Amino acid sequence: MKPTNYVRLSGRYVSITLLILGFATIFLWARQKNLFDHLTFLSSDFFVASLKDSLSSVSSNSKENVKGKASHSVTSKEMESPKRSSSESPKNFTSSVALEREDTDGDRMSSAEMKACNYAKGRWVPDSKRPLYSGFGCKQWLSEMWACRLTQRTDFSFEGYRWEPENCKMAEFESTQFLKRMRDKTIAFIGDSLGRQQFQSLMCMATGGEWRLDVENVGAEYGLVKARGAVRPDGWAYRFSNTNTTILYYWSASLADLEPLNSTNPTTDVAMHLDRAPAFLRRFLHRFDVLVLNTGHHWNRGKINANRWVMYVDGKPLQDQKLAEIWNAKNFTIHSIVTWLDAQLASHPRLVAIFRTISPRHFRNGDWNSGGNCDNTTPLTGGTGVSQNESSDAVVWSAVKGTKVKLLDVTALSELRDEAHMSRYSVKATKGANDCLHWCLPGIPDTWNELLAAHI
């Protein structure tokens, strides 16, 4: 070895010795001052690693001097960084991707090791703590027609299950904590009667199904009052005075804006503006903190004709016969309202906008008006779990894709629960009537709200 190289290496070993002595001195001083726990950069792991790196550097330099070339190269694995898929998926409200995190050895997990937390994937499991409120109670909020405990039904095994997501834990719903989190906030459900069921379910969950004197009817603030001659108002709004939390529902079965062509004629045709959000939503959007939209089952020719709805686009009667086909009209309307809502979010930064996917029907041997039924009372005869990645509601899935409007995907998990519908049971025991669209409460809409609460 040349003298110059020997001197250079000796100098490095002296430097390392001084470095070790310096670390040891600081280490002992930190312990004496009770600061060791706070000086994480002086941990033994770091100390040993630093020593190894230094020795490795000396050894490497020594070899470098002897061989006359570098011996270390950066591997492709060391240069690798987590990559995201170029194909953008909907911002699924039931799905959140786990953030990159470090394992116990301090090594970053690769993108392949990170798992997506998709609340729509999972399985139904028995739970003795169910239901979340009494099926005999909640009379202040729950319509009798959906309270299956008040009907002739005798089997209630459908109440004893909860949804368990595949890759993540879903916190158990607790009414007091939920209302605290929703302090000074307004949650609005806008949609059809399934949206109304979700609204009533959340009211029962938030009150524990108990009678509450601290809940005020504030429907008048939103124009939700029963009109003369009407069977019911267009919606309801209630405020929890202790937390200033408002929960409301507005009936808009199609999510299209409805405008009577002759307001003085009770049998007038109604313009169904496919490209315009409901007037109620446009008027009160600024007051909402959480907005949950849904539509689906009123998109059939029979209901549209019975309601005297006439499709309009650009303020004129729709002439495009292809667009007037029910499937296309529904698709167009959902995309229109999502596009409009996405554009509004920039000026409503506090708003969380959500589109709930369609609730499945389970009519067998016919439809709602042709003798269809759903008499099954055995839970999970169609399976226990959901493993698919994409939503079964292709229309809503495609509409929210690429927007800031989030997806609350309940279709597939609800599809497994055909035994939880109203079926042939009713308060008045109407012979031959089968409701395989709406759900018993307590029931499946409670799970939709658990998914909702898990994120907001």
Side-chain angles (χ1 to χ4, degrees), residues 185-439:
K185 290 181 171 55
T186 297
I187 304 170
F189 295 93
I190 298 181
D192 57 24
S193 55
L194 276 303
R196 182 184 170 196
Q197 283 210 303
Q198 189 174 1
F199 158 73
Q200 291 192 3
S201 162
L202 186 58
M203 287 301 300
C204 290
M205 291 168 67
T207 59
E210 302 294 334
W211 190 273
R212 294 277 292 261
L213 296 176
D214 63 326
V215 182
E216 178 187 3
N217 184 341
V218 293
E221 290 184 17
Y222 298 89
L224 301 177
V225 293
K226 183 179 176 181
R228 180 177 298 178
V231 176
R232 62 179 69 91
D234 288 334
W236 295 264
Y238 297 102
R239 181 168 298 139
F240 293 76
S241 59
N242 290 341
T243 58
N244 193 34
T245 303
T246 303
I247 303 176
L248 69 83
Y249 163 77
Y250 177 76
W251 184 86
S252 179
S254 65
L255 294 182
D257 189 33
L258 301 177
E259 183 181 36
L261 297 179
N262 182 355
S263 58
T264 63
N265 182 359
T267 61
T268 184
D269 287 343
V270 177
M272 181 186 187
H273 296 280
L274 305 184
D275 55 351
R276 187 190 300 172
F280 179 87
L281 178 56
R282 301 197 311 270
R283 179 181 177 187
F284 293 107
L285 183 66
H286 69 283
R287 297 185 63 173
F288 302 154
D289 298 279
V290 179
L291 172 64
V292 184
L293 301 176
N294 91 282
T295 188
H297 295 293
H298 278 255
W299 286 95
N300 65 75
R301 186 58 63 184
K303 288 185 179 292
I304 288 176
N305 291 341
N307 289 321
R308 296 179 177 272
W309 292 345
V310 181
M311 294 182 184
Y312 271 56
V313 172
D314 291 331
K316 298 174 292 186
L318 181 61
Q319 300 298 323
D320 186 339
Q321 294 304 309
K322 187 174 182 180
L323 180 56
E325 294 177 6
I326 296 299
W327 175 264
N328 293 330
K330 172 189 171 186
N331 197 339
F332 179 81
T333 301
I334 291 175
H335 276 78
S336 293
I337 193 170
V338 168
T339 300
W340 172 82
L341 186 56
D342 186 50
Q344 301 301 311
L345 292 177
S347 55
H348 298 82
R350 75 182 190 192
L351 176 63
V352 177
I354 305 148
F355 211 118
R356 177 175 62 71
T357 61
I358 195 167
S359 173
R361 312 155 79 247
H362 288 95
F363 289 98
R364 290 189 295 266
N365 303 318
D367 212 322
W368 63 273
N369 58 352
S370 58
N373 65 77
C374 49
D375 290 337
N376 175 42
T377 57
T378 304
L380 306 174
T381 55
T384 61
V386 174
S387 58
Q388 65 196 45
N389 291 315
E390 294 190 358
S391 174
S392 296
D393 189 340
V395 176
V396 174
W397 172 270
S398 63
V400 302
K401 186 175 183 179
T403 74
K404 296 182 181 65
V405 179
K406 301 179 185 296
L407 188 76
L408 180 58
D409 190 3
V410 304
T411 305
L413 64 88
S414 304
E415 183 68 46
L416 300 173
R417 301 304 306 278
D418 66 308
E419 88 289 359
H421 285 293
M422 295 296 303
S423 185
R424 56 190 172 87
Y425 305 102
S426 65
V427 175
K428 297 181 180 179
T430 306
K431 187 176 181 180
N434 280 271
D435 187 347
C436 304
L437 171 63
H438 298 101
W439 305 92

Side-chain angles (χ1 to χ4, degrees), residues 72-295:
H72 180 72
S73 62
V74 180
T75 66
S76 59
K77 186 175 181 180
E78 289 171 325
M79 291 292 290
E80 193 177 65
S81 60
K83 298 178 181 178
R84 297 186 184 277
S85 172
S86 59
S87 58
E88 187 175 8
S89 295
K91 294 185 178 180
N92 193 337
F93 206 66
T94 55
S95 174
S96 57
V97 179
L99 296 176
E100 185 177 3
R101 62 188 186 276
E102 294 185 356
D103 62 20
T104 54
D105 294 325
D107 297 324
R108 290 196 176 276
M109 300 180 69
S110 68
S111 58
E113 293 174 307
M114 291 188 290
K115 293 184 177 180
C117 181
N118 188 344
Y119 284 82
K121 290 176 64 174
R123 61 192 182 117
W124 290 101
V125 297
D127 187 347
S128 60
K129 297 179 181 178
R130 302 286 152 149
L132 298 176
Y133 52 91
S134 169
F136 294 106
C138 203
K139 295 179 180 179
Q140 193 174 2
W141 325 111
L142 177 57
S143 297
E144 279 191 350
M145 61 183 176
W146 294 327
C148 284
R149 287 279 181 173
L150 304 182
T151 70
Q152 316 84 28
R153 183 165 184 156
T154 58
D155 182 273
F156 299 97
S157 56
F158 68 88
E159 293 181 347
Y161 291 84
R162 64 176 170 83
W163 180 250
E164 184 179 83
E166 183 178 282
N167 293 324
C168 47
K169 285 191 174 182
M170 186 166 65
E172 185 174 345
F173 183 91
E174 205 287 313
S175 59
T176 302
Q177 291 302 317
F178 175 75
L179 290 172
K180 285 182 179 179
R181 287 163 51 205
M182 293 296 102
R183 183 180 297 278
D184 301 323
K185 290 181 171 55
T186 297
I187 304 170
F189 295 93
I190 298 181
D192 57 24
S193 55
L194 276 303
R196 182 184 170 196
Q197 283 210 303
Q198 189 174 1
F199 158 73
Q200 291 192 3
S201 162
L202 186 58
M203 287 301 300
C204 290
M205 291 168 67
T207 59
E210 302 294 334
W211 190 273
R212 294 277 292 261
L213 296 176
D214 63 326
V215 182
E216 178 187 3
N217 184 341
V218 293
E221 290 184 17
Y222 298 89
L224 301 177
V225 293
K226 183 179 176 181
R228 180 177 298 178
V231 176
R232 62 179 69 91
D234 288 334
W236 295 264
Y238 297 102
R239 181 168 298 139
F240 293 76
S241 59
N242 290 341
T243 58
N244 193 34
T245 303
T246 303
I247 303 176
L248 69 83
Y249 163 77
Y250 177 76
W251 184 86
S252 179
S254 65
L255 294 182
D257 189 33
L258 301 177
E259 183 181 36
L261 297 179
N262 182 355
S263 58
T264 63
N265 182 359
T267 61
T268 184
D269 287 343
V270 177
M272 181 186 187
H273 296 280
L274 305 184
D275 55 351
R276 187 190 300 172
F280 179 87
L281 178 56
R282 301 197 311 270
R283 179 181 177 187
F284 293 107
L285 183 66
H286 69 283
R287 297 185 63 173
F288 302 154
D289 298 279
V290 179
L291 172 64
V292 184
L293 301 176
N294 91 282
T295 188

Side-chain angles (χ1 to χ4, degrees), residues 40-54:
T40 55
F41 64 93
L42 287 175
S43 68
S44 58
D45 288 343
F46 177 83
F47 184 78
V48 172
S50 299
L51 179 59
K52 285 182 178 179
D53 288 343
S54 298

